Amino acid sequence: MKRLLYLDAQPYSRAKEVAEQNWLNVLAPTHAAARGLGSHKRTAKLTQTRSLQDLATELLQVQGIAIASPLNVQRALHEVINQIVQPQDTEGIARAWMPTIQALLKSAPLTQINLEACSDRARQLIAVTQRYQQILRQRNWVDPGEVLWRAIELEPQPIPVLIYGYFQPRPDELAFINHMAAEGSIFFLPLAGEDLFQESQVAVTWLQQQGWKVDAFQSLSQTVGERLGQQFLTSSNVMEQSSAYAYCNVEAEVRGTLAQVKQLLHEGISARDIAIVARDEVAYGPKLLEVAWEYGVPLRALYATPLNTTRFGAWIALLLEVIEQRFPFEATAKLLSHPLCTNPDAEFWSMVRSQHPVGLTAWQEICQNTLHLDLAVLKIGHQARRDTWVATLQTILKTFDLRRRCSRWARESLAFNALNQALVDLSKPEDEKLAWSAFAQEVRSLLVIVGVPAQPGRGGVELHSPASVIGAHYPYLFVIGMAEGGLPAPVRNDCILDFYERKALRQVGIPLELAAEAARKEALLFYYLLQTVTQSVVFSYARLNGRQEQLPSPYLAQLGLEATMPPEMPIASLEELRKVDLRRETHAEDPVLQTALHAWRVERQRESSAPPDEYDGITGVPLDYRDRTFSVSQLNHLGLCPFKWFADKVLQLGEPQEEEEELSPSRRGNLYHRVLELVFKEWQENRSRSLQDPTLLEAKFQAVEREMRLTSLPVWTAQRVEHLQTLKRVLNQPDFFPEGTEAIALEAKFEGIWYDLKLTGRIDRIDRASQGLVLIDYKTSSNPPKGVSNAAGKASIDLQLPIYQHVAAKALFPEESVATAYYYSLTKAKKLSKKIPDETELAGVAERCKAHLSLGHFPVQPDVDKVACNYCAFDLMCRQGNRLSRKPREGNTHESD
């Protein structure tokens, strides 16, 4: 009984008929192709459905030959490249060369290749590939790309098979089929007279030479896909069952496609009868999965994604970073707040912010007290055996209960298992010692080279690439990304072996793909894709991909289709319904929508030219200023931007107290004030010492830096010299403490009444001079404070010095007169001039502040130069910006009522 080669441009109907009549082992490239023949339903124990790769792998495993894992492939290739090439960047070279090496392994057996006839570049690459093969063979491994050739070397016993779905067989696939197919085998290979089938004709000629008998038949075009395929070859008229849509952008395309899918599901169509095909499924996959979740459409995406794109892989990467950087604050906080980690409560974060822990010991104490989590397992040594490092990592995973936490998601569970399996290879050779940093780098490599399905599961609508649906059949098909440059994918030269080199290699028996063959392959992929649909197909593309404009694929014109605007689809999710109702302001019973409608109205009011309302600080709730005590800084905030004071003192929305890792401007000011206070006090107690004595300054500086715990700051050692020099320069200035004056008060607290407002505060220094009291306020800035807003909204009215003159001096030294008051810049070491406002301006400010309080009016109204917005913690809440220019500015709070 001869081996039969069935040739037809549309082989599905005949293949299905033959599969049902013959009990043959089916060889198909994908489960979808086997399912199309119905062979997955066959119950006979003597028949199996598998791919050529699966069959070859089984044959090798019987002989004790294993498929090399990604880690072992990487190690072997690195070893060879270091031996032969000796580059500076081994990993980079290996990453660039691997696709070309895989193509070489699949193209032909390389053991008998004559390297003398090759170019220098090809010779080096082939030499690396041959040596790489040798190393794997010595270890009884085989590269995944060499599986079919290696299986042929074993000369396995042929079996009767039915081969379907291998419509563009590679050289290794063709050779393996010829070797494994026993008498009675049947091979379906599409063939037509068009130029697209040149490679198929070559394969047919070769198989005939091997004894295959050709049985050409002509099946009628019955399904939509088969008729579309004929149209694609002959450019005939368009079919009614096919449509093409042009969407404005990628998200609109994804939403439009999934809305149509959901409509079919709603009509009772089975999810297994629908498929979505994208030439670049990796690019479309994340957005499709995101919108499918929103729409409630079950979607499976089986393309591989590396571990570092999963939640579990991201956690492992964070863990390695935290250990290597010795538990820095931000990275450790990110690790502990990861969705797969401990989910700490508010008490934990409050303690973390206040203490700002750095280092394992500090984090260990907090985690032990609040989370009851022992971080001692993260204490890593410097060097150990491979198996010890692997055991340590597995202990860490167990301590954080990662297996259970990953089990909530199918992909994360697979990622956890994939890494654990890869760690087995990473632990070998067990007795090899290496540093933790080297081990961590290998783990990072695993996160890149080991992959898992993007969205595993059972059932659901499937996302495929054109190659993965060859031979399959779906009643309903959606082909997305039908843009020029997307489908077909452009033919690109290999940066390692260009098409000129590949053409030369054909002379020595290495048939790598050339440019024309790649173009024909893309066209045939689309042709076979068309044949998969039986009832209806929808093509679509996005006119904009990001900011890049796209044109329709030339394949649409070849089918006689012109992309049109998509029809209006029914609302496919509750979120989309809410968007529509939000625009219509529909009063639905949905509590989420009610909240959204309220927020929408608030935002419209906020952005409009209407006067401010309660969401812009106009509460209408009066506050009795006689019950409150104000500081000078509070009055400054109230006078510069009423909302800033309101958010801080009434709503109490100030930022949580957090330990700082660097000297902030406020702490710097506290440092300078405290050091000068101690220096003056020491001088007052011992007049024999000089204020300019550097030992006095050094002693008090050390006391304050201990008091403020400044020595824990990362760069304090380098910074303290600069601060010491600044203070030394100030103390040496003649005008800082003029002769003939006496410091009679240092950091003196006072209380008093200013225009019926109760005040409390602290004045840095009061000197007694011959003319009277001198009031001094230290500033670390180079300029005097701007003051509060005047009637025109300009920050120009200084309150601090007048309050010191009229309130502080009278409260502390009521019997003495004030000669002057001024600011002193500690940074510039000089006095700062500032105009003292007159009584009318001060009274106006006081009345305005009292009116804000009495009327409950605290509008978002910073000064025109936005001085109030500098270092403001409430910018996310007030949303100051261009919108304020549309609001009427209140010149008088009474008038705005």
Side-chain angles (χ1 to χ4, degrees):
M1 188 176 181
K2 294 289 185 180
R3 297 184 295 180
L4 298 179
L5 185 60
Y6 283 162
L7 305 180
D8 184 32
Q10 299 165 350
Y12 172 72
S13 301
R14 184 67 179 273
K16 186 174 179 61
E17 178 184 347
V18 172
E20 291 173 351
Q21 296 175 354
N22 293 270
W23 293 100
L24 296 172
N25 292 287
V26 176
L27 296 179
T30 62
H31 179 70
R35 188 175 63 202
L37 292 182
S39 59
H40 66 293
K41 299 179 181 178
R42 298 162 68 183
T43 57
K45 296 183 179 180
L46 296 178
T47 64
Q48 298 182 28
T49 301
R50 48 195 164 178
S51 66
L52 296 178
Q53 191 83 359
D54 293 338
L55 177 58
T57 300
E58 293 174 11
L59 296 173
L60 293 172
Q61 288 175 343
V62 170
Q63 300 298 320
I65 302 172
I67 307 298
S69 66
L71 178 61
N72 290 329
V73 164
Q74 185 187 64
R75 284 178 172 178
L77 188 56
H78 284 192
E79 181 181 341
V80 174
I81 290 174
N82 283 329
Q83 290 175 359
I84 298 177
V85 184
Q86 299 177 352
Q88 293 182 346
D89 182 12
T90 302
E91 186 168 349
I93 292 293
R95 192 183 306 116
W97 284 17
M98 178 53 78
T100 308
I101 290 175
Q102 290 280 336
L104 285 170
L105 291 173
K106 294 175 182 177
S107 63
L110 302 179
T111 53
Q112 306 297 326
I113 298 299
N114 180 15
L115 298 183
E116 296 298 326
C118 302
S119 66
D120 292 341
R121 180 166 56 176
R123 188 182 303 118
Q124 184 184 52
L125 187 62
I126 294 173
V128 166
T129 307
Q130 290 176 334
R131 178 58 184 154
Y132 166 69
Q133 286 180 288
Q134 293 171 5
I135 289 179
L136 291 183
R137 292 189 179 217
Q138 290 169 3
R139 298 166 186 174
N140 232 17
W141 295 333
V142 61
D143 183 274
E146 194 193 2
V147 166
L148 300 184
W149 292 118
R150 190 69 188 279
I152 293 172
E153 293 179 12
L154 300 178
E155 297 186 356
Q157 184 68 31
I159 56 175
V161 291
L162 187 153
I163 306 103
Y164 174 77
Y166 290 93
F167 297 161
Q168 299 184 73
R170 301 190 310 263
D172 57 338
E173 293 173 339
L174 204 58
F176 187 70
I177 289 172
N178 180 63
H179 187 90
M180 288 302 303
E183 295 295 324
S185 296
I186 301 173
F187 183 11
F188 287 88
L189 186 60
L191 186 64
E194 287 73 12
D195 292 339
L196 287 181
F197 296 88
Q198 290 183 29
E199 285 69 40
S200 298
Q201 185 59 64
V202 172
V204 169
T205 302
W206 184 82
L207 288 171
Q208 285 181 298
Q209 293 172 354
Q210 308 304 314
W212 289 75
K213 181 181 178 182
V214 172
D215 185 355
F217 62 95
Q218 185 70 33
S219 60
L220 297 177
S221 299
Q222 298 177 346
T223 67
V224 170
E226 290 171 346
R227 291 195 293 271
L228 279 174
Q230 189 62 32
Q231 289 174 212
F232 181 71
L233 296 179
T234 61
S235 300
S236 58
N237 294 329
V238 67
M239 299 293 299
E240 293 182 359
Q241 293 90 340
S242 58
S243 305
Y245 299 133
Y247 292 88
C248 57
N249 54 43
V250 172
E251 180 166 356
E253 180 185 14
V254 168
R255 288 185 175 275
T257 299
L258 288 174
Q260 295 173 76
V261 169
K262 186 168 184 177
Q263 180 69 26
L264 290 175
L265 295 174
H266 183 70
E267 293 172 0
I269 305 299
S270 171
R272 296 185 65 176
D273 292 336
I274 307 170
I276 301 174
V277 176
R279 183 63 178 84
D280 189 353
E281 54 187 339
V282 177
Y284 271 92
K287 180 58 68 175
L288 280 166
L289 292 171
E290 174 188 331
V291 178
W293 177 85
E294 177 189 329
Y295 284 7
V297 173
L299 181 67
R300 291 177 62 202
L302 301 181
Y303 66 88
T305 184
L307 291 185
N308 60 3
T309 63
T310 66
R311 295 183 181 92
F312 175 68
W315 189 88
I316 293 294
L318 266 175
L319 173 72
L320 299 177
E321 177 187 348
V322 165
I323 293 175
E324 286 188 344
Q325 297 184 7
R326 303 192 177 188
F327 300 86
F329 173 74
E330 290 188 4
T332 309
K334 192 183 297 184
L335 176 73
L336 294 175
S337 61
H338 192 276
L340 289 178
C341 204
T342 52
N343 192 24
D345 56 15
E347 178 187 357
F348 170 82
W349 289 119
S350 176
M351 187 176 298
V352 166
R353 290 190 187 97
S354 62
Q355 298 185 16
H356 232 262
V358 174
L360 178 58
T361 303
W363 280 103
Q364 167 76 346
E365 182 179 350
I366 294 178
C367 290
Q368 190 71 48
N369 294 335
T370 59
L371 303 179
H372 306 293
L373 177 66
D374 187 3
L375 296 184
V377 68
L378 299 181
K379 187 175 182 180
I380 303 297
H382 296 292
Q383 195 171 40
R385 288 164 43 119
R386 278 188 175 276
D387 55 354
T388 302
W389 286 138
V390 169
T392 299
L393 183 56
Q394 290 174 332
T395 301
I396 293 173
L397 298 180
K398 186 176 181 180
T399 300
F400 284 90
D401 198 15
L402 263 295
R403 180 183 291 276
R404 181 184 64 81
R405 295 177 185 275
C406 286
S407 64
R408 290 179 288 174
W409 300 280
R411 186 181 70 171
E412 305 309 318
S413 184
L414 289 178
F416 182 91
N417 294 333
L419 181 65
N420 267 286
Q421 185 176 355
L423 288 177
V424 175
D425 292 327
L426 193 61
S427 66
K428 299 174 183 178
E430 293 87 348
D431 56 354
E432 180 186 355
K433 288 189 175 182
L434 71 164
W436 167 261
S437 59
F439 176 77
Q441 186 56 42
E442 292 192 9
V443 175
R444 289 192 182 93
S445 296
L446 281 181
L447 298 180
V448 175
I449 64 178
V450 177
V452 292
Q455 185 72 12
R458 293 183 179 180
V461 178
E462 297 174 351
L463 171 63
H464 286 290
S465 67
S468 63
V469 294
I470 289 181
H473 265 65
Y474 294 95
Y476 301 92
L477 198 65
F478 294 86
V479 185
I480 60 178
M482 286 288 296
E484 188 178 87
L487 202 165
V491 176
R492 291 189 173 93
N493 225 339
D494 189 343
C495 61
I496 307 301
L497 283 180
D498 58 27
F499 291 127
Y500 180 82
E501 294 272 5
R502 290 171 173 240
K503 188 174 181 179
L505 285 176
R506 293 211 165 188
Q507 306 301 318
V508 295
I510 302 179
L512 292 175
E513 188 176 72
L514 301 180
E517 295 170 359
R520 287 192 292 268
K521 179 180 178 181
E522 280 294 315
L524 282 174
L525 271 178
F526 186 70
Y527 170 74
Y528 297 134
L529 167 64
L530 294 174
Q531 294 196 20
T532 62
V533 62
T534 61
Q535 294 187 33
S536 175
V537 58
V538 177
F539 304 98
S540 65
Y541 80 100
R543 287 197 174 99
L544 283 178
N545 186 1
R547 293 185 176 182
Q548 183 178 0
E549 186 176 359
Q550 298 188 129
L551 298 175
S553 168
Y555 286 170
L556 291 179
Q558 196 166 338
L559 288 173
L561 289 171
E562 182 176 353
T564 61
M565 292 296 294
E568 185 175 353
M569 294 300 299
I571 296 171
S573 70
L574 181 58
E575 286 73 14
E576 288 190 346
L577 176 62
R578 286 169 175 163
K579 290 178 183 177
V580 174
D581 288 344
L582 186 64
R583 291 192 293 269
R584 298 173 180 170
E585 297 196 25
T586 303
H587 297 279
E589 298 299 325
D590 183 358
V592 174
L593 183 59
Q594 289 297 320
T595 303
L597 281 169
H598 176 70
W600 174 246
R601 295 187 186 110
V602 169
E603 196 61 27
R604 281 197 309 177
Q605 164 75 16
R606 193 195 299 267
E607 293 293 331
S608 72
S609 59
D613 60 5
E614 64 269 27
Y615 297 99
D616 261 328
I618 310 300
T619 65
V621 179
L623 299 175
D624 192 343
Y625 60 84
R626 289 166 294 193
D627 294 337
R628 290 179 174 268
T629 300
F630 299 89
S631 66
V632 179
S633 63
Q634 284 190 46
L635 288 182
N636 271 316
H637 290 166
L638 188 57
L640 265 177
C641 179
F643 187 85
K644 185 174 184 178
W645 179 88
F646 173 68
D648 186 16
K649 298 304 177 183
V650 179
L651 300 182
Q652 298 183 355
L653 298 176
E655 294 178 323
Q657 185 178 1
E658 187 169 348
E659 185 72 16
E660 298 172 343
E661 292 188 348
E662 59 183 18
L663 194 65
S664 64
S666 61
R667 290 188 77 189
R668 178 172 169 243
N670 293 337
L671 168 67
Y672 287 6
H673 282 63
R674 182 62 175 154
V675 171
L676 291 175
E677 178 189 1
L678 294 181
V679 168
F680 267 100
K681 284 184 177 179
E682 179 69 20
W683 176 77
Q684 287 175 331
E685 294 173 1
N686 185 3
R687 295 300 179 95
S688 62
R689 303 194 69 172
S690 170
L691 285 175
Q692 290 80 28
D693 184 356
T695 60
L696 173 61
L697 176 62
E698 177 65 34
K700 300 308 176 184
F701 194 91
Q702 288 182 3
V704 175
E705 69 180 345
R706 288 194 299 270
E707 179 183 308
M708 296 179 64
R709 297 190 300 173
L710 299 178
T711 53
S712 62
L713 297 178
V715 293
W716 175 248
T717 304
Q719 289 180 341
R720 77 184 303 273
V721 176
E722 178 186 349
H723 299 308
L724 266 173
Q725 290 295 334
T726 298
L727 292 173
K728 182 179 180 181
R729 185 171 62 252
V730 168
L731 290 170
N732 284 315
Q733 293 298 317
D735 64 345
F736 179 67
F737 187 60
E739 292 186 6
T741 60
E742 179 186 2
I744 59 175
L746 299 169
E747 300 294 332
K749 290 192 65 175
F750 66 88
E751 294 181 356
I753 303 295
W754 183 73
Y755 293 103
D756 296 332
L757 295 169
K758 290 191 289 187
L759 296 182
T760 184
R762 188 186 298 270
I763 187 168
D764 296 336
R765 197 176 97 216
I766 302 178
D767 291 351
R768 182 181 288 125
S770 58
Q771 301 88 352
L773 298 179
V774 179
L775 312 179
I776 305 166
D777 188 76
Y778 301 145
K779 294 298 180 186
T780 52
S781 61
S782 303
N783 300 301
K786 297 289 186 180
V788 301
S789 302
N790 60 17
K794 184 80 172 178
S796 62
I797 303 176
D798 180 38
L799 296 183
Q800 193 166 359
L801 292 182
I803 287 175
Y804 284 172
Q805 289 178 310
H806 295 97
V807 180
K810 291 180 181 180
L812 296 173
F813 301 96
E815 303 299 327
E816 301 188 42
S817 62
V818 176
T820 186
Y822 61 83
Y823 298 112
Y824 196 93
S825 171
L826 301 178
T827 303
K828 292 294 185 180
K830 67 176 184 180
K831 294 180 181 180
L832 301 175
S833 61
K834 182 69 177 179
K835 177 185 175 183
I836 302 297
D838 58 35
E839 289 297 325
T840 304
E841 290 178 311
L842 293 174
V845 171
E847 290 303 316
R848 192 167 73 241
C849 290
K850 289 188 288 186
H852 282 308
L853 295 161
S854 299
L855 298 173
H857 278 214
F858 307 100
V860 179
Q861 196 173 74
D863 59 286
V864 294
D865 296 323
K866 301 296 193 303
V867 173
C869 302
N870 295 336
Y871 311 111
C872 180
F874 311 109
D875 55 333
L876 293 179
M877 183 178 182
C878 78
R879 302 180 195 175
Q880 58 84 17
N882 292 334
R883 75 179 188 88
L884 295 183
S885 64
R886 298 188 287 272
K887 297 290 185 184
R889 187 171 185 89
E890 296 183 3
N892 186 298
T893 309
H894 292 279
E895 297 174 359
S896 66
D897 186 21

